Amino acid sequence: VKFNNCAGNKGVRYETNSLDLKVRADGTLYAAHHLQVPSKQLILVVTAWDPQTLGRWEAMVRFLVADKSQHNGHKPKGRKALPGELAQQQSDTLLPWRQHQSANGLRRQKRDWVIPPINVPENSRGPFPQQLVRIRSDKDKEIHIRYSITGVGADQPPMEVFNIDPVSGRMYVTRPMDREERASYHLRAHAVDMNGNKVENPIDLYIYVIDMNDNRPEFINQVYNGSVDEGSKPGTYVMTVTANDADDATTANGMVRYRIVTQTPQSPSQNMFTINSETGDIVTVAAGLDREKVQQYIVIVQATDMEGNLNYGLSNTATAIITVTDVNDNPPEFTTSTVKQPQKAVRTSVVITRDLTGEQELGRDGTPYHPMRSHFTFSQPKGPREKIQHFAAAVDYEMNRAFMLTVMVSNQAPLASGIQMSFQSTAGVTISVTDVNEAPYFPTNHKLIRLEEGVPTGTVLTTFSAVDPDRFMQQAVRYSKLSDPANWLNINATNGQITTAAVLDRESDYIKNNVYEATFLAADNGIPPASGTGTLQIYLIDINDNAPELLPKEAQICEKPNLNVINITAADADIDPNVGPFVFELPSVPSAVRKNWTISRLNGDYAQLSLRIMYLEAGVYDVPIIVTDSGNPPLYNTSVIKVKVCPCDENGDCTTIGAVAAAGLGTGAIIAILICIIILLTMVLLFVVWMKRREKERHTKQLLIDPEDDVRDNILKYDEEGGGEEDQDYDLSQLQQPETVDHVLNKTPGVRRVDERPIGAEPQYPIRPVIPHPGDIGDFINEGLRAADNDPTAPPYDSLLVFDYEGSGSTAGSVSSLNSSSSGDQDYDYLNDWGPRFKKLADMYGGGEED
């Protein structure tokens, strides 16, 4: 073996997976001991590894073993059966660890044998486990030996496919094999004594699964698409179909052959195509492919294994769709040489059509149509037998009532080789033009006129008339406005004369770049009526009709002169030459204006306004200024500028006090504002004092009860039950108020408020009769109400009153001390006197023995 050390590794070592064959440092493979190879071939793996980088490389080596009898030229007589022959018989025993007796009576160890591969057919029906072979060592006569196998299929997944009897050494397969799942197994047989000590070296066992024809060929695609040009010669390649068989490809089980089953349609021949039985290539076998007759063929292809044997092989089918592609083998041809067709007269393009036959290609060849007169243009057809579209430019009945054309059609691409036909065709076309109603049109569109703005209402501007192209039709044209944004114009409905309906103003928002635009409509009375539009543009020349306006409208200046000035200018809505330079001057009336102020000219558009006197009291002053433009005639305007005069600091800026003063607030106004602020603060202070006093009075008049015991803001728990007959010791003082008030001692006995508690000796209440009368409760409540109304110590708000405080002298015992009795001695007839609310209870317990 040769190792290409391209990486420059040094000290590469070689190993094999066999104990019988070794590799020297130069790559020579040699037998490590005397070796007898029983099989036809031997496979081993050679590994090259670098001890420094720990890199490993593997290669597989296969030996083909020749028979000695073939080399010697004769067959040996009485030849002993080899172990390879014994392996084919499952009842025979393999002795891979044989020993031989030497001449001096000593035993020498026989070199280990290589066990031939064991072949197992797939899909075996059993019964399982099925014995494959028996392996034994001749040392089993001396000691007890236990056999085992390891490897994939034994103790590695898939587990327990093979097992071995540890005593007898018989190896079994436990289930059917599937070659497509795994084609071979590599196991190792081990022989140990009862203590687990190795008796023999491990032996390699190779098990090969024999393939059976249990898989059909499968096509990669169920539908294959291919194409071939029409007119192709026999033997032209079309497409390839491929089917795969999962069985062994080296046997007949996996050798697939192809054939064509059917062809649809069978025109012009039933065998237009053939297929290579081994490669699956489909080629043409006959001539006569014509796309204009048959555009597509459907071929059913069958794939069969067992080298195509239909009796024993398995088959599968697929569909091959073969499309016949177009080539330029038909020249164009007109069906008739003369064509007559009427066409309406229009001023735009018209369309006429005529059938084109003979050329039935898909349009890729291109078929241009050449007119004999440049007055017409043509479009190209988009498919076979499509109508040609001829576009005529500006056909006018009034100019030409008929046209006669000669049209030629030809292929843009040359005809296919071998076609002996003319490549072009001609035809005559007569076009008759029919008159139709055409819309009136304005000869000058857009029409532009120039005039000065401000012309009076009713002035005639121009005549905007339209022309009717239908000279042979007696039709009238009428005019109307379509768009007049400012509603400045009128148009005469019969002759199109334009007059003004209002004064035209150049400074209007409807004017764009000194141009006013209006649209008019001209309509005839034809059937159907037609109309056209025209646009009139009026360029307005500016006149001096707008006086200038002073800018700015407000300004600020210091009360002392020579500190700052006010720059003023003017704005005029007119345009040059009716604008600047401007003239700024002060009016003579009132005289105080010129006395206090002065204007100095800077340039034609700007001037400066400043104080004439040395000091002017702070405040707001309206200063009138006369501004005159340079128009012809000039216009002037008296504008008022509000000037705030204020005290200034050393930088010429108004101070804060000065700004207030300049705002127009004098000393009296400031004093009045301060007085109002003082009055407002006094009222707020008085309100706070009154609230404090009221809060103090509220605190001095407190309730007579503790806030925590006030039932108005507390939740009282009334439904706490006792513990029965044993729970009779109650501390009634917890239910009383904690505070003591002297004046409650003088109150009427038996009546107390909730904010009071009894102090001293409790009054004795009269003992109620055993059978109370309904009137007693009402009297008791009325008595308590009168006592509360006459109580001078009652607080000025509602509170909860206690009307029946029993106290320690109450004759009523604890509720828990009531005993039930079923003796029937109790009389409940008095319940009938308590009213309708106790009627149900009286019915239940009253009546005595009748119930």
Side-chain angles (χ1 to χ4, degrees), residues 453 505-508 542-549 571-575 578-579 582 629-631 633-637:
E453 64 173 329
D505 186 6
R506 193 200 62 84
E507 290 75 30
S508 172
D542 183 46
I543 62 175
N544 192 19
D545 57 347
N546 293 278
E549 294 288 338
D572 197 326
D574 295 322
I575 61 177
N578 298 319
V579 287
F582 300 102
D629 60 19
S630 299
L635 294 180
Y636 69 92
N637 183 27

Side-chain angles (χ1 to χ4, degrees), residues 554-824:
E554 295 181 356
Q556 182 175 290
I557 195 173
C558 295
E559 60 185 3
K560 294 181 180 181
N562 298 328
L563 291 179
N564 54 9
V565 293
I566 301 174
N567 293 326
I568 58 176
T569 185
D572 197 326
D574 295 322
I575 61 177
D576 192 68
N578 298 319
V579 287
F582 300 102
V583 177
F584 302 91
E585 57 182 345
L586 296 174
S588 56
V589 179
S591 59
V593 174
R594 291 191 174 184
K595 177 181 177 182
N596 298 333
W597 304 93
T598 181
I599 291 179
S600 59
R601 182 184 179 88
L602 294 178
N603 53 38
D605 296 329
Y606 289 90
Q608 287 184 344
L609 177 65
S610 58
L611 287 174
R612 179 184 293 272
I613 59 178
M614 297 302 298
Y615 174 80
L616 184 63
E617 185 181 359
V620 179
Y621 296 88
D622 291 338
V623 180
I625 298 176
I626 300 174
V627 184
T628 306
D629 60 19
S630 299
N632 186 19
L635 294 180
Y636 69 92
N637 183 27
T638 302
S639 300
V640 176
I641 180 173
K642 289 184 175 295
V643 180
K644 296 180 181 179
V645 179
C646 59
C648 297
D649 54 15
E650 62 275 4
N651 297 324
D653 298 327
C654 284
T655 60
T656 304
I657 300 177
V660 174
L665 296 179
T667 305
I670 296 175
I671 294 174
I673 292 175
L674 293 177
I675 293 175
C676 292
I677 293 174
I678 294 173
I679 293 174
L680 181 60
L681 293 176
T682 304
M683 293 177 63
V684 172
L685 181 62
L686 292 175
F687 179 76
V688 172
V689 172
W690 178 75
M691 290 297 295
K692 291 289 186 180
R693 183 176 182 181
R694 184 178 180 183
E695 185 70 18
K696 183 177 181 181
E697 292 177 354
R698 181 180 300 176
H699 283 291
T700 55
K701 193 173 184 180
Q702 295 291 333
L703 294 176
L704 300 179
I705 61 176
D706 187 66
E708 296 181 356
D709 297 329
D710 192 354
V711 296
R712 294 172 300 168
D713 297 325
N714 294 279
I715 299 176
L716 302 182
K717 188 175 182 181
Y718 295 103
D719 58 349
E720 183 177 357
E721 299 181 357
E725 296 295 337
E726 295 80 6
D727 186 13
Q728 296 185 6
D729 297 328
Y730 298 102
D731 186 8
L732 296 179
S733 63
Q734 299 296 326
L735 303 176
Q736 300 172 357
Q737 300 296 332
E739 296 181 357
T740 302
V741 182
D742 295 335
H743 65 273
V744 301
L745 297 175
N746 299 326
K747 296 189 64 174
T748 304
V751 177
R752 278 178 176 80
R753 299 180 57 82
V754 73
D755 52 356
E756 299 176 2
R757 71 177 182 183
I759 300 176
E762 296 292 336
Q764 298 295 326
Y765 289 86
I767 299 175
R768 295 181 181 176
V770 178
I771 303 175
H773 191 273
D776 294 345
I777 297 176
D779 295 338
F780 182 79
I781 293 175
N782 293 332
E783 182 180 355
L785 180 61
R786 286 193 301 270
D789 293 339
N790 297 327
D791 188 1
T793 62
Y797 48 83
D798 296 336
S799 60
L800 182 66
L801 299 180
V802 180
F803 294 103
D804 191 6
Y805 184 82
E806 297 179 354
S808 60
S810 175
T811 58
S814 174
V815 178
S816 62
S817 64
L818 298 178
N819 295 325
S820 301
S821 175
S822 59
S823 60

Side-chain angles (χ1 to χ4, degrees), residues 259-300:
R259 73 185 187 95
I260 293 178
V261 180
T262 61
Q263 167 194 308
T264 304
Q266 297 181 359
S267 173
S269 172
Q270 62 180 358
N271 296 320
M272 296 296 296
F273 305 96
T274 186
I275 187 170
N276 189 307
S277 61
E278 295 184 1
T279 62
D281 294 339
I282 299 177
V283 296
T284 59
V285 71
L289 291 173
D290 189 356
R291 190 201 63 82
E292 286 73 34
K293 295 180 180 179
V294 179
Q295 298 182 3
Q296 190 178 78
Y297 290 91
I298 298 178
V299 177
I300 304 300

Side-chain angles (χ1 to χ4, degrees), residues 219-226 239 241 298-299 317-321:
F219 282 94
I220 298 178
N221 300 312
Q222 284 299 314
V223 178
Y224 290 84
N225 292 281
M239 62 194 306
V241 296
I298 298 178
V299 177
T317 60
T319 302
I321 300 176

